[in-house]
Amino acid sequence: MKTIWLILISVVLGSLGQVILKLGSNKLGTIPLELTTVASSMLRLLKTPEIIIGLILFGSSFLLWIKVLTRSELSYAYPMVSIGYINVVILSYFFLNESFNWNKLIGIAIIVAGVWIINK
C-alpha cells in the first residue's frame, strides 16, 4: 500500500477516535481524577463503549503511524496530520451538532493550502 494511503487512514482513524471519545465523554460528564478516585474513574471510563472504541481507533492510528514513519520522511508525513483537524470539524458538525461557520471554513482552506504547499 502506498504511504500516502497509510497516512490518510491513520489520520482518519485518529479523527474518528477523537469524535467517538467526545461522544463517550458526553455520556460520562465530569470525571474526578484525584488520587482517591482514580481507580473508580478509570473503571467508569472502561465501562463506556465509546471510550473503548475511541481508544481502539487511536491505537490503530498509532500503529499505522509507526509504519508511516518507517517509510517516509517526517517532514513529509507530519503536516498531513493537520488534515485530522478538518475531519474533526466535519465529523463534529454531523455527529456532535457543533456549529460550522465561515471562520472554520476559512481555517480549513488555510490548512489545505498549507499541507499542499509543504508537500509540493
Side-chain angles (χ1 to χ4, degrees):
M1 182 179 281
K2 285 190 171 187
T3 304
I4 186 69
W5 287 109
L6 293 174
I7 292 169
L8 293 175
I9 292 168
S10 175
V11 168
V12 167
L13 289 173
S15 305
L16 284 171
Q18 196 65 252
V19 171
I20 292 172
L21 282 175
K22 175 61 175 160
L23 288 170
S25 69
N26 287 348
K27 274 185 166 180
L28 291 169
T30 304
I31 297 287
L33 289 177
E34 296 142 8
L35 191 56
T36 57
T37 61
V38 166
S40 62
S41 293
M42 292 300 289
L43 188 59
R44 223 173 122 208
L45 289 170
L46 294 174
K47 288 182 177 179
T48 308
E50 293 87 349
I51 299 296
I52 299 301
I53 293 167
L55 290 173
I56 290 168
L57 289 169
F58 269 137
S60 301
S61 174
F62 167 76
L63 292 174
L64 277 176
W65 190 251
I66 296 300
K67 183 158 184 78
V68 165
L69 293 177
T70 66
R71 292 176 141 194
S72 69
E73 293 181 1
L74 184 60
S75 62
Y76 167 76
Y78 196 67
M80 304 267 199
V81 173
S82 63
I83 294 169
Y85 298 128
I86 298 167
N87 295 341
V88 167
V89 168
I90 293 167
L91 291 170
S92 295
Y93 174 78
F94 288 107
F95 294 104
L96 302 170
N97 296 316
E98 292 186 4
S99 66
F100 189 83
N101 54 39
W102 282 105
N103 288 342
K104 289 180 183 178
L105 187 61
I106 292 167
I108 286 171
I110 292 169
I111 290 169
V112 169
V115 170
W116 182 76
I117 290 167
I118 287 173
N119 288 307
K120 193 83 168 111

